[in-house]
């Protein structure tokens, strides 16, 4: 009875039906058939809305079209109930000494400083359930000495499927980034032909000139440059292996020629590694995943390859870190009063100090080259139960 395929979200769902069996209620991204090209358009109006499908005629009619994702409809006592999802993200600054957050960019995440201190890269595109990540784009803005944007957003990496985690080399001549690149539009994340790798290219080059650095993992992400630009560290789930592992790949900073990626040996008492960042002196700080519910720890790989004891254990999932430019302190995110907040701890260990008291989650810290600001992602994902009286 349906005239054409329905544009539904791929998740388990009940499909409530009216008492006489003539009407079906469901969440759709549009009334027509899914368009793979539109799924990759970050500006497309493709949030989930609640529709009524007349099983007698095959006609659909929108009942709820509020901004944000409306999903999981149910019927009870003449009321239609559903869940409203709204995801908000922005880039904010917090002083390295601690204090209030300052809004810098709306609808942006995962920012990284250019080594010159006058540009920020970031992921943008927001979040919508039906196309989960297919439209994410990496862009950049120019900023003044206080980090205020002085230009519009310029896309840097913008292909089919997800692009993320761009960072500049120490001399600013190269960029490295993570991509789930697809040659053509795909219908759903994880289907069709796509990759999950790290790419390199000269900063001023076009996307067609990119160099693929990896081809062996899944969720290969979080690339970071060594201080001299000769190595890139990253984490990945290698195919055929269990857990997240730490890898490095050598780079010639003059030509971009690269060596074969090699895994980094971890001590026997160390769990998975969820994040890694180089210090200004060439040490590695990592977020260790300890077996158990959401427990993490900070550890350091010294210049001689030895590993420190755990500096601190804490709670959180999207827990990331960075160093201050003097290499004396590590900035990281930890749960406080139900929210991810920003903390600092000396490189030598000691008592952590909280730097933020925000009413939303703060994570993905990146300290400015002059050591004044911490660029952060401020995000909140809230849900509401809503209802509508049916006639």
């Amino acid at each position: 009875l349906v005239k054409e395929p329905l544009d539904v979200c791929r998740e388990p769902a009940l499909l409530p039906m009216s008492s006489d069996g003539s009407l079906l209620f469901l969440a759709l991204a549009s009334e027509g058939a899914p368009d793979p090209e539109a799924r990759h358009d970050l500006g497309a109006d493709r949030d989930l809305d609640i529709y009524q499908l007349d099983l007698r005629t095959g006609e659909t009619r929108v009942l709820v079209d509020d901004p944000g994702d409306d999903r999981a409809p149910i019927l009870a006592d003449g009321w239609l109930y559903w869940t409203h999802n709204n995801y908000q993200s922005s880039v904010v600054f917090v002083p390295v000494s601690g204090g209030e957050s300052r809004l810098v960019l709306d609808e942006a995440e995962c920012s990284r400083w250019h080594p010159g201190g006058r540009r920020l890269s970031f992921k943008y595109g927001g979040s919508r359930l039906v196309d989960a990540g297919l439209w994410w784009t990496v862009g950049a803005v120019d900023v003044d000495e206080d980090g205020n944007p002085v230009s519009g957003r310029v896309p840097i990496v913008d292909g089919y499927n997800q692009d993320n985690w761009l960072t500049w080399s120490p001399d600013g001549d190269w960029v490295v980034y993570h991509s789930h690149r697809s040659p053509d539009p795909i219908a759903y994340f994880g289907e069709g032909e796509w990759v999950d790798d790290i790419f390199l290219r000269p900063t001023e080059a076009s996307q067609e000139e990119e160099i693929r650095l990896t081809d062996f993992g899944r969720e290969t992400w979080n690339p970071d440059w060594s201080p001299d630009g000769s190595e890139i560290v990253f984490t990945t789930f290698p195919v055929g292996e269990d857990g997240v592992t730490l890898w490095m790949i050598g780079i010639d900073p003059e030509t971009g020629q690269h060596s074969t990626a090699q895994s980094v040996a971890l001590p026997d008492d160390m769990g998975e590694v969820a994040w890694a960042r180089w210090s200004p002196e060439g040490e590695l700080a990592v977020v260790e995943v300890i077996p158990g519910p959401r427990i993490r720890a900070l550890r350091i790989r010294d210049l001689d390859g030895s590993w420190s004891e755990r500096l601190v254990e804490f709670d959180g999932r999207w827990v990331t870190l960075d160093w201050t430019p003097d290499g004396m302190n590590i900035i990281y995110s930890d749960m406080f009063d139900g929210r991810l907040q920003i903390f600092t701890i000396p490189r030598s260990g000691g008592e952590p100090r909280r730097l933020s008291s925000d009413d939303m989650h703060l994570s993905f810290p990146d300290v400015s080259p002059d050591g004044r600001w911490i660029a952060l992602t401020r995000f909140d994902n809230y849900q509401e139960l809503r209802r509508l009286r049916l006639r």
Side-chain angles (χ1 to χ4, degrees):
L1 294 178
V2 180
K3 294 182 178 180
E4 54 184 321
L6 297 175
D7 201 351
V8 300
C9 184
R10 288 198 317 169
E11 60 177 13
L14 297 174
L15 298 179
M17 185 178 296
S18 61
S19 58
D20 64 1
S22 64
L23 300 176
L24 197 65
F25 301 91
L26 64 167
L28 301 176
S30 68
E31 292 189 56
D35 177 5
E37 186 78 35
R39 292 182 183 273
H40 298 265
D41 180 1
L42 64 88
D45 180 13
R46 290 187 50 75
D47 62 310
L48 289 170
D49 298 318
I50 305 299
Y51 284 77
Q52 171 186 289
L53 171 63
D54 191 321
L55 296 177
R56 297 163 298 189
T57 65
E59 298 292 334
T60 57
R61 180 169 71 92
V62 63
L63 296 180
V64 178
D65 61 354
D66 297 330
D69 284 305
D70 296 290
R71 53 176 290 272
I74 60 171
L75 291 174
D77 297 326
W79 290 89
L80 176 68
Y81 293 84
W82 70 94
T83 301
H84 178 76
N85 298 261
N86 202 323
Y87 179 81
Q88 301 175 356
S89 67
S90 58
V91 172
V92 300
F93 288 174
V94 169
V96 170
S97 59
E100 297 296 319
S101 61
R102 171 167 65 92
L103 177 65
V104 177
L105 291 167
D106 273 322
E107 299 179 1
E109 306 176 45
C110 307
S111 55
R112 295 293 293 267
W113 287 94
H114 184 279
R118 292 300 182 92
R119 296 196 84 193
L120 277 177
S121 69
F122 51 89
K123 177 190 80 176
Y124 64 106
S127 178
R128 56 182 188 245
L129 292 175
V130 72
D131 301 323
L134 295 182
W135 64 95
W136 285 350
T137 296
V138 176
V141 294
D142 296 330
V143 297
D144 64 18
E145 61 183 7
D146 293 318
N148 301 305
V150 294
S151 74
R153 303 182 185 207
V154 177
I156 300 178
V157 188
D158 185 14
Y160 291 127
N161 217 327
Q162 175 191 136
D163 298 306
N164 204 352
W165 305 124
L166 180 141
T167 182
W168 285 278
S169 61
D171 60 10
D173 290 343
W174 298 86
V175 290
V176 64
Y177 46 90
H178 158 90
S179 179
H180 284 262
R181 188 67 44 77
S182 303
D184 301 297
I186 59 176
Y188 298 102
F189 184 81
E191 291 192 348
E193 184 180 350
W194 56 284
V195 302
D196 188 345
D197 289 300
I198 293 173
F199 292 82
L200 172 77
R201 78 168 192 253
T203 299
E204 303 302 327
S206 68
Q207 195 164 302
E208 286 71 26
E209 299 176 66
E210 66 187 7
I211 303 165
R212 184 176 174 181
L213 296 181
T214 62
D215 61 358
F216 59 84
R218 52 190 175 89
E219 287 306 322
T220 301
W221 77 101
N222 178 33
D224 191 50
W225 295 86
S226 64
D228 63 1
S230 67
E231 289 183 292
I232 292 171
V233 67
F234 60 95
T235 49
T236 187
F237 291 90
V239 173
E241 297 184 24
D242 294 328
V244 184
T245 55
L246 188 65
W247 288 68
M248 288 187 191
I249 187 167
I251 302 291
D252 184 329
E254 297 296 327
T255 66
Q257 293 294 316
H258 59 91
S259 64
T260 301
Q262 300 290 329
S263 62
V264 177
L266 303 178
D268 293 338
D269 66 341
M270 192 169 177
E272 298 180 17
V273 174
W275 203 263
R277 292 292 292 267
W278 296 94
S279 79
E281 302 302 321
E283 302 164 304
L284 271 179
V286 304
V287 175
E288 177 189 5
V289 181
I290 302 173
R294 303 172 68 87
I295 303 300
R296 305 290 187 264
L298 294 183
R299 294 183 72 165
I300 294 175
R301 181 179 182 264
D302 292 321
L303 297 177
D304 63 3
S306 62
W307 288 88
S308 72
E309 299 296 322
R310 292 168 179 163
L311 272 67
V312 62
E313 296 184 11
F314 48 91
D315 179 24
R317 180 185 177 194
W318 291 114
V319 176
T320 59
L321 62 89
D322 195 16
W323 295 79
T324 53
D326 60 8
M328 300 301 293
N329 296 280
I330 297 173
I331 310 294
Y332 66 101
S333 50
D334 186 10
M335 295 296 292
F336 180 80
D337 283 347
R339 301 282 186 181
L340 281 172
Q341 299 297 319
I342 300 305
F343 289 75
T344 182
I345 189 170
R347 178 255 175 271
S348 56
E351 189 67 24
R353 181 169 65 90
R354 181 164 51 89
L355 301 178
S356 65
S357 298
D358 206 273
D359 59 357
M360 292 190 184
H361 296 285
L362 296 177
S363 194
F364 304 115
D366 196 62
V367 182
S368 61
D370 62 9
R372 296 173 59 201
W373 301 102
I374 309 170
L376 299 156
T377 298
R378 187 176 192 256
F379 61 96
D380 191 27
N381 187 10
Y382 69 87
Q383 297 183 337
E384 297 174 338
L385 180 63
R386 297 183 176 184
R387 69 176 184 173
L388 174 71
R389 171 67 77 177
L390 297 178
R391 297 178 179 177

